[in-house]
Every structure is written in structure tokens, then in C-alpha cells.
Amino acid sequence: MRSVHPAIIIGSYGWDADRLPRDEFQLRISELNRLMDERGWKAMLIHGDARDHGLLAYFTNFIPRLRWAMALVPRHGEPRLLISMSSRDMPAMKPMTWIADVRTGWDWAGGFDQWLAGLADEGDVGLGTIGFDVISADLFRAVERSLGNRFHLDDATPLLPRERRLRPRELSLTRDAALAVEGAAAAILRTWRAGGGNEAAALAGEREARAKAAQDVRTLTSLDRGLSVSPFQGRLAERVDPLLAYVAVQDSGFWGELFVSASVRPNPLRERAEAGLAAALAAMVPGALARDIFARATGAMAPYPLHPVLSASIGRRIGVSLDEGGVLQSASDARLEPGSVYALHVGGIDPAQGGAIVSAMVALTPRGAEILCRSPSDQSG
Amino acid sequence: MVSGEGRLAATARYLEERGLDALVAFNNGQNSFLESNAVFVLSGVRPIGESAVLVDRTGTASLIVTPAWDEARAAAQSRTQTAIGADDLPAALGHTLKAHRVDSSKLVTVGLGTLGLALVRRIEAALGGTPPAQDDFTRNLARVRAPEELEAARKATWIAERGYERMLEFVRPGMREFELAAELYCCMKELGAEDNFLLVSASQHNLAVRAAGRRMLDAGDIILSEITPCYRGQYAQICRTTVIGEPGAALAEKYALLQDAMRRGQEAALPGARVRDVCKTIDDCFRAAGYGDFCKPPFMRVRGHGLGVTSDRPGDLTADSDTMLEEGMVFVMHPNQYLPETGYMMCGEPVVITPGGAEALSQRMATLDAVPA
């Protein structure tokens, strides 16, 4: 789910070499080395910004708190990370990455041009790019000016694996994120059940996660009986039944997300959403077709239509970004692979009852599906 | 001073005078507290994703927001005549250009270059080329806050001050920086802050302020806080310095330098004054005390800056800025400074330019505060 992007990502975050050691990044960078060898590229440029940084984080562990960052990874030699912050801020940025050469991106001549000169060669030099689909046009122009006619860029993003099997250490971090979001979701339900307003409940969930060192927290809340969701509006005292809230928590680089639905009255719509989620979970096995899972979930939801905020999907992969692809839609012909983690969201709307969505996060392992977390049960609903 | 609604009319006049059909302003969905958000300036909506506002020469305006499901919120808040939710911004923009009967050879853009490259290429295809950019148009249009925006900036400042009061009550040695930041952030959100550029960090000898980490607070620490809540699109920033335990006489004496620089900077910031002259006034306070060599990076960055998301004017307060201050401009003035004896210290207030100088929006000016060790 998308939410209003904050001015800065304020949570605590650093490279935990104990849990993601240097060899993890050597394995990841070997993907790039293979591509550089195959394509004859001398280096890769990996761009990410505060909002879209999944691949940058995957290869560098660095997540820009604001603006952008770019990793310059040569086939031979040490990588460099340019960050769009002042040189004074660099000491605070260095602990967020395994890359030793961290520099301000504001000194373009010293940071980028000088590095580029080190690649100088006879003739046309090829460079692979990652994440350049979201690079700002202004920054791209600066890159183009520096490249001149000595270098050319090739988009490497489509050549990267569409899906990666999580290694045990990555799955372990994902479990932590799932636990963090489950705690936040429980706090939301608890606060609402205690009589709190819908936004006050969402804030309680956010507080729970932030107090436990969450790196980032996003919430959306409904103030129209679950028919839609909105970013924070400052209407904390407003209590609306049913409750529909969304919370996402990033912890040590990995995301977890859940919807929370509750009502003080019996809620047949929520029951159908639960049935839809259960049907989807039962079908989440390696090799399953994405469209079949979608059909099972929406079939069990009948007669209610899928909730519009789900954008005609019941889930996708989740990891270092909230959207890792693999969307589960009516026409998705992809098969589920072991080693992936999916966020599932199933729910609908009804003019009389409002809206309800329930969620789960599932890891697909060779032994089957492991439910990492799910929406808190609304006992009194 | 142009009101929010007046900005659409002013845009229409601009187009009429230049024989243009339309202006299309874009935003990339990122909310920099240092920059103008052209979509917010024209529509009053802070979008979730990439978005655009089209204003034609009659003053009729359409807002396009992504994702599609955000349409109802956008429609309720927008001052444009229509608000459209879409998952495909270029396609929706193409339809909107047709609906407004715009000749795409007669339009200008604001902020297109801030969008992602793939999206820009699709938008340019929809527009049939790359229209001329007028990227400074909206930040200049909104360089003086409208009355309702100034009111919101005052409320944001009030929230910042309550947040800092909460910090003085809450902070104690043994607490980790992130725990303090979490409490401050949530406390200010409870008071209505929809966003917050919040930096809180501590050291026995600070080099700069940074985002909160896992460092445990200790007696003798100097806590730096840059508290920047956003209320209804208006960021306001206060900069504070807090000691855990009794501050020494040297620290108090040096902090007084920052306070003096702040007072003198406020007096110098008269309508018509140049930013560089205000900075010189501030720097002179440090020069007189023998710290002239420290009036440059990395010992300080700027003496203040504009505040988004309406307009970032007057920009960074630097010694080479020729920008002229105007009555009603709102920005933060902060003579934050590294001194070798004390480390980095912070002192700053959001101000509005008045005929008498820069009036602080805060009720209590920064002092060197102390909390029990």
C-alpha cells in the first residue's frame, strides 16, 4: 500500500554486520559481477531515493533517509556510495552501509566525475544501470552531462532476477519485521476496543513500533466505515465503526504490513474476508498459480466485491520494499516459488456494512507455507 | 499576499499575458520540508503518489492524484474544480489536456524534472514533446504565506514547542535516542502534526545533528534537536540545545553567542534586506568573538532556510544569497554553530518578516536548557 511519504525517515537504522555480514553482500554483488562480465560493462550505477530504494538497499544496505543515493560499483576495485546530503552528514551515514567510500553527492565533480575518470578507457565504455526508472530527470541530466560521449548506459534492472529465494538470515529478519507489525496491529485493535478514535488507534500502533526501534512506520485509517482509507488527518477523537486501519513497519531493512478490521457489531463482511484469506492461505504452496489463489480468495468473498483500495489484487511479494512484484491478480500467470515472502490482503466493501480487509504474511518454504503474521482476531465482531 | 484560491487566478493571468493555454505542475510524491510542492501550492492537497495540477487560461484547474483510490480525499480537499484519481498519471493527463482543450505547444510545466525518468518519458510522449519549464513559478507565487497558511505555520510552531516541552519532561539518562524520538514524534502527531522532519541526537561533543540512533543518553550529554512538525502543509522548525546535568559556565557563555546572533539576525531581517546581509550580521557576532574561521562548512551549513511545502523562498540563508526579503515571508533562522570548546550547538526559530524585522513565531526563544542527570 502506498501512503504519504514522510519528510524524513526518522527511525533508528544501521548495518548490522552480525546479522547481515559482509559475505551476504559479496553474494549479492556477485549477481552484478556476472552481469558485468556477460555484458562487458565496466561498472554498475545503482540509484535509489527515499521512497523507492529496494534494489539500492539490497546491494548496499543503505536506505536514503531523504532525497537520493547512488552506488557506483566497478567490476574491479572498491565501490563508492554518493548520498544527497552535505559532507557534514557523512559520518552519520557511514554506519548504514558496508561500503567504506561514502561521499556527499553534492560535490558531483569530486564524487562522480572523478570516479568516472578512473574508468577511462579507449573507445565507448558500457555501464549498467539499476533503479534509473525512478531517477529524477534532473539528476539523470547531471549523469548524462558527465558521461559525455565516452560512456553509454544500459538498463540492467530487467536482467536482475525477478524473484530471489531468501536465505535463512534474510528470512530471520523478515520474521522480525512480521513480529513488529503484528505488535503494532494488536495495539491498534486494543486501543480501538478500549474506546479510542480510529486515528488515535492507528497512532497507538505507530507508537508501539517506534518505541521498539522501528526504522519506518506507515499508517492509513478509514473515517468512513472502511469504504476508503486516508493518510493522517488529525481527527484523532473521531470514532467510526467499523474500524479499518493499515500499518506497515520496516525493521532492519525489511517490511511487514497488515490491515486491521474490527466492529462492535457482528460483521458478515469481515467473516467473508476471513474466509477469503483462509482460502488464499490454503492455496499458498510452491508451484501454485497466482491467478488461482486470486480466484479462490475472491470466490470465498462472494457476493462482496474486492475492496477498491486493494487495486484489483490480493497481495504481492514483500521484503526490502513494500512491493517486490509478483502481484496476485486475476490474470497473473506466475507460479509461486519457494523462498519468497508474500503479503496477502483480502477484503471487500458493502454499502450497508462498510468495508473490511484482513491480511497475513506468508513465507513459502520447501516444507510449505509459514504464516509469519496475520491481522489480529476481532473476537467481539 | 495571494490566497490559495487567488493563486489559480494569478496563474491564469500569467498564462493570458503570455498567450499560453495551460500550466501543468507536477509533484513526485516525496515531501521535502525544504522545497516547494507545486501541486500543493495550486490545489491545497498533499498527494500520496505522483500527481499533477493543470490550470488553463480561464483559471479552471484539474488535479490528478495517484493512486486511484485516493480520489475521494483529494476531491474533498482540493481547491481545483475537478479531482481525478488515477493509477496511470500520463494517461489521465492526456485525457485532462483534451478536456481542457489545451494546445500542447502552448503549455509550460513546473516540477516535471523532479519525477522519475520513466514517468517523465511517458508524460513527454503524452504532451508530444518537452514543454518549456517554469520551475520557479509556484515557489515565487507562494513566496509570501497566505493568511490561512501563516495561521497553520503558527499552529505548527505551537506543536513544535509542546513537543520540546515533552522532551524536557521525558528525557533521562539511560534512554536510547530512538526512544526519545519516538515519544516526541508521536506526541506531536497527537497534537495534529501530519509529518515531522525530526532530528534528535546527543553526544558529549557534537559535530552535527542527525537522526536518532541507538546511542544511550548519558550524563553530560548535549542533546541537539531539530523539531519540524508539519500542520496543514506548513512546516515550522525550532532548534534546541539541552544538557543532561548542569551546564558548565563555558557552555552557557558560548551559547549566549548563538542567542545574540539570533537576535541581531532578526533585527537585520527587514523587508527589502538582502539575505547575504542578514547572514553577515549573524556571522559578525561569531567573528567578533574570534570564531570567524568557523563561519563556513563543516562548522555550520546555512544560517537558516525556507520551509516547504508551500514555498522554499527565500531559500538557504547563505553569505552569497542575493535574495531580497519581503514582508510575510516565513522561514527558519538558525545560527547553529560548531565551536571548538563546546561542539555543535543549535538555536533557531521560525520567523515571519514584518516591518520591524523577523518576528519569531515561537512563544519562547531558545535557551540553553538542562535536565536532571
Side-chain angles (χ1 to χ4, degrees):
Chain A
M1 291 293 294
R2 298 188 76 171
S3 54
V4 169
H5 190 76
I8 185 170
I9 298 168
I10 65 163
S12 170
Y13 177 62
W15 173 39
D16 185 348
D18 185 46
R19 300 193 66 185
L20 276 184
R22 178 74 185 253
D23 70 85
E24 173 65 33
F25 292 99
Q26 286 169 340
L27 285 168
R28 295 178 182 184
I29 291 290
S30 67
E31 270 183 34
L32 305 181
N33 288 339
R34 181 181 54 77
L35 276 176
M36 285 189 266
D37 290 344
E38 283 174 9
R39 303 276 163 165
W41 297 329
K42 292 199 77 170
M44 302 282 263
L45 311 180
I46 310 170
H47 166 270
D49 61 30
R51 203 184 62 186
D52 294 300
H53 50 243
L55 288 168
L56 178 74
Y58 181 76
F59 289 110
T60 68
N61 199 65
F62 185 78
I63 292 178
R65 290 186 182 276
L66 66 164
R67 304 192 194 94
W68 56 267
M70 193 186 300
L72 318 175
V73 184
R75 177 63 185 92
H76 302 288
E78 290 302 310
R80 173 176 291 180
L81 183 63
L82 301 180
I83 301 170
S84 179
M85 295 180 83
S86 76
S87 55
R88 215 174 45 132
D89 296 313
M90 292 307 106
M93 299 297 109
K94 285 185 177 181
M96 295 166 69
T97 178
W98 59 272
I99 294 176
D101 184 4
V102 175
R103 301 186 182 205
T104 172
W106 294 358
D107 173 17
W108 190 251
F112 189 79
D113 292 343
Q114 183 201 63
W115 174 84
L116 204 59
L119 296 178
D121 205 345
E122 298 278 323
D124 189 21
V125 176
L127 305 174
T129 62
I130 293 174
F132 271 42
D133 54 329
V134 294
I135 192 174
S136 75
D138 292 342
L139 179 57
F140 184 69
R141 273 192 287 275
V143 173
E144 279 192 314
R145 275 195 297 273
S146 294
L147 296 178
N149 54 13
R150 296 173 301 149
F151 299 88
H152 72 270
L153 300 178
D154 292 319
D155 186 3
T157 312
L159 306 175
L160 295 171
R162 288 172 58 199
E163 199 164 348
R164 293 186 181 86
R165 290 187 180 203
L166 292 187
R167 281 179 275 279
R169 55 176 62 139
E170 295 171 302
L171 186 55
S172 170
L173 288 165
T174 307
R175 286 194 186 98
D176 286 357
L179 269 179
V181 77
E182 204 165 46
I188 291 173
L189 182 60
R190 199 165 53 239
T191 304
W192 193 77
R193 282 264 162 244
N198 296 34
E199 284 197 332
L203 181 56
E206 180 167 5
R207 185 187 290 269
E208 169 82 14
R210 289 198 182 280
K212 291 183 176 161
Q215 179 183 350
D216 197 358
V217 185
R218 306 294 176 89
T219 60
L220 296 164
T221 318
S222 176
L223 292 172
D224 62 1
R225 302 184 304 120
L227 295 172
S228 67
V229 290
S230 291
F232 181 76
Q233 296 182 60
R235 294 155 63 184
L236 288 124
E238 226 168 292
R239 187 175 160 79
V240 181
D241 184 14
L243 166 75
L244 178 63
Y246 164 84
V247 60
V249 178
Q250 192 176 25
D251 186 270
S252 299
F254 287 79
W255 282 99
E257 65 172 359
L258 289 172
F259 275 92
V260 182
S261 290
S263 176
V264 296
R265 289 177 285 276
N267 188 326
L269 174 60
R270 190 182 190 284
E271 287 168 18
R272 297 319 307 158
E274 289 281 11
L277 180 64
L281 286 170
M284 291 292 291
V285 293
L289 262 176
R291 64 168 178 262
D292 288 348
I293 297 164
F294 179 88
R296 283 176 185 235
T298 51
M301 275 286 302
Y304 303 111
L306 196 61
H307 202 296
V309 306
L310 298 178
S311 303
S313 145
I314 61 151
R316 63 208 144 19
R317 290 194 298 273
I318 187 169
V320 289
S321 68
L322 279 166
D323 184 355
E324 295 272 297
V327 66
L328 304 176
Q329 286 182 317
S330 62
S332 311
D333 56 4
R335 290 191 182 275
L336 272 51
E337 295 283 341
S340 300
V341 173
Y342 279 81
L344 299 178
H345 308 297
V346 183
I349 55 169
D350 175 72
Q353 299 177 69
I357 304 174
V358 291
S359 314
M361 281 175 62
V362 183
L364 294 176
T365 72
R367 295 186 303 278
E370 174 189 344
I371 297 175
L372 303 179
C373 64
R374 63 193 301 169
S375 299
S377 166
D378 182 28
Q379 299 292 345
S380 354
Chain B
M1 190 178 296
V2 185
S3 69
E5 280 72 18
R7 286 178 189 147
L8 291 177
T11 304
R13 283 196 299 278
Y14 168 88
L15 295 169
E16 183 71 39
E17 286 163 13
R18 286 158 183 79
L20 294 166
D21 271 6
L23 176 144
V24 188
F26 296 92
N27 179 259
N28 60 9
Q30 299 198 40
N31 290 285
S32 170
F33 85 111
L34 292 170
E35 287 164 23
S36 174
N37 176 334
V39 167
F40 178 80
V41 169
L42 295 173
S43 70
V45 177
R46 204 168 166 231
I48 288 177
E50 291 84 356
S51 57
V53 172
L54 185 151
V55 187
D56 69 25
R57 65 199 297 177
T58 70
T60 307
S62 296
L63 167 68
I64 307 167
V65 296
T66 62
W69 55 258
D70 197 33
E71 181 177 292
R73 179 185 75 102
Q77 294 179 358
S78 184
R79 65 175 72 100
T80 59
Q81 282 76 12
T82 54
I84 301 154
D87 289 324
D88 186 337
L89 179 62
L93 181 59
H95 294 312
T96 306
L97 286 164
K98 280 184 191 152
H100 282 256
R101 299 182 181 188
V102 170
D103 175 349
S104 56
S105 69
K106 292 184 179 175
L107 64 83
V108 292
T109 63
V110 179
L112 180 59
T114 64
L115 298 184
L117 192 60
L119 191 57
V120 169
R121 286 176 173 159
R122 289 193 58 222
I123 288 171
E124 286 175 343
L127 299 177
T130 307
Q134 293 293 334
D135 289 334
D136 285 340
F137 177 79
T138 45
R139 58 165 57 93
N140 284 334
L141 184 66
R143 66 190 184 279
V144 170
R145 296 291 193 272
E148 66 273 17
E149 291 169 343
L150 183 57
E151 193 60 32
R154 288 187 190 281
K155 177 71 183 283
T157 309
W158 179 86
I159 292 171
E161 292 195 274
R162 301 294 82 73
Y164 182 62
E165 285 171 3
R166 177 66 185 141
M167 175 173 138
L168 296 179
E169 292 167 1
F170 184 75
V171 68
R172 53 176 162 54
M175 173 181 285
R176 294 191 186 272
E177 287 175 357
F178 73 80
E179 294 176 284
L180 177 59
E183 176 61 22
L184 296 193
Y185 182 90
C186 293
C187 157
M188 286 183 271
K189 197 163 183 178
E190 263 173 354
L191 297 172
E194 65 223 16
D195 195 1
N196 209 320
F197 187 92
L198 177 64
L199 302 180
V200 186
S201 59
S203 168
Q204 300 274 317
H205 188 92
N206 289 286
L207 299 177
V209 66
R210 52 179 168 71
R214 288 173 187 260
R215 185 181 182 281
M216 193 177 279
L217 301 178
D218 197 2
D221 272 357
I222 299 171
I223 306 170
L224 302 177
S225 51
E226 187 167 294
I227 301 173
T228 321
C230 182
Y231 181 77
R232 295 187 179 171
Q234 303 302 314
Y235 286 92
Q237 182 171 91
I238 61 172
C239 301
R240 297 291 184 263
T241 305
T242 316
V243 184
I244 302 183
E246 264 319 296
L251 193 62
E253 177 203 328
K254 300 299 179 192
Y255 195 78
L257 270 178
L258 275 66
Q259 292 173 298
D260 185 45
M262 180 74 204
R263 271 191 300 272
R264 288 174 188 267
Q266 286 179 266
E267 289 163 10
L270 295 162
R274 300 282 171 184
V275 164
R276 62 166 182 260
D277 295 326
V278 176
C279 290
K280 182 175 181 303
T281 302
I282 291 172
D283 288 350
D284 282 348
C285 296
F286 294 104
R287 285 193 193 99
Y291 296 111
D293 289 344
F294 291 86
C295 295
K296 61 185 178 192
F299 308 112
M300 46 74 68
R301 193 178 75 80
V302 293
R303 294 307 185 192
H305 48 77
L307 292 162
V309 291
T310 303
S311 175
D312 51 0
R313 291 290 186 249
D316 283 350
L317 270 58
T318 59
D320 58 1
S321 169
D322 202 33
T323 303
M324 190 175 74
L325 297 178
E326 294 177 60
E327 188 174 347
M329 275 183 167
V330 171
F331 56 94
V332 60
M333 183 181 288
H334 56 43
N336 302 333
Q337 183 66 54
Y338 175 87
L339 299 175
E341 298 88 344
T342 60
Y344 194 70
M345 296 187 291
M346 303 190 80
C347 169
E349 318 293 338
V351 297
V352 56
I353 298 299
T354 72
E359 174 199 315
L361 301 183
S362 26
Q363 295 299 304
R364 172 182 173 268
M365 301 291 283
T367 57
L368 181 65
D369 295 308
V371 294

